[in-house]
Amino acid sequence: MIRQATLLGMLLAAGLHATPLLAAEADADVDCPTKRQILQEKIEAARAQGNSQELDGLHRALGNVEAHCDEASLHRQRLAGVEEARQEVQRREMDLRDAMGKGDQEKIAKRQAKLAEARSELEQAEAEARADQ
């Protein structure tokens, strides 16, 4: 499972430009005022560089944040992330059971590692959702 934030990080590390909307909404951990601030800073940078296409996209993204970003929607996103992480844990548990049934120690070890990673992501998602309350 690749989370949006991880995907954005990979795109940026590869030197590719992600859409401004993806950049602004990539991480559900970021609150609405922070998203606005990030977009404002990117708008200033695009303006300074004379990048009109990026500037247009950033203005659209800022408009979307202004229109749709509120703490309740962020909380719903975080709860959806918790549910997604729970489903991933269940899938990884099934994979591990299958590997154990086949008795392949190498596959069992890999599946245990993947399950541990999925459980860690679930714990993180639950902690983020609890922080909202």
Side-chain angles (χ1 to χ4, degrees):
M1 173 181 75
I2 297 179
R3 299 182 77 174
Q4 283 183 335
T6 304
L7 177 61
L8 177 63
M10 290 186 317
L11 289 171
L12 294 175
L16 302 173
H17 296 287
T19 65
L21 185 56
L22 176 63
E25 294 180 352
D27 196 347
D29 297 347
V30 177
D31 61 12
C32 297
T34 302
K35 285 183 181 188
R36 287 183 194 97
Q37 179 182 352
I38 290 169
L39 285 169
Q40 290 289 357
E41 291 169 3
K42 288 183 179 194
I43 286 170
E44 292 304 316
R47 187 175 290 133
Q49 294 173 354
N51 190 338
S52 62
Q53 284 184 323
E54 185 175 0
L55 195 56
D56 289 343
L58 288 166
H59 279 295
R60 279 192 305 277
L62 182 59
N64 285 332
V65 168
E66 294 291 344
H68 304 292
C69 187
D70 59 33
E71 294 308 313
S73 67
L74 290 175
H75 183 65
R76 284 190 301 275
Q77 281 181 309
R78 289 183 185 115
L79 290 176
V82 168
E83 183 56 34
E84 181 181 325
R86 282 187 182 134
Q87 291 173 359
E88 181 69 10
V89 166
Q90 289 174 346
R91 190 173 74 74
R92 295 295 183 185
E93 288 172 341
M94 267 184 17
D95 290 347
L96 176 58
R97 281 193 298 272
D98 289 345
M100 291 174 81
K102 293 176 184 174
D104 184 339
Q105 293 303 315
E106 187 176 323
K107 282 188 179 185
I108 291 171
K110 286 180 184 179
R111 300 300 190 267
Q112 286 173 331
K114 296 264 187 188
L115 177 56
E117 181 182 339
R119 284 181 175 157
S120 175
E121 288 180 10
L122 174 58
E123 288 175 15
Q124 181 180 354
E126 288 173 337
E128 291 168 4
R130 277 193 305 272
D132 289 342
Q133 298 171 348

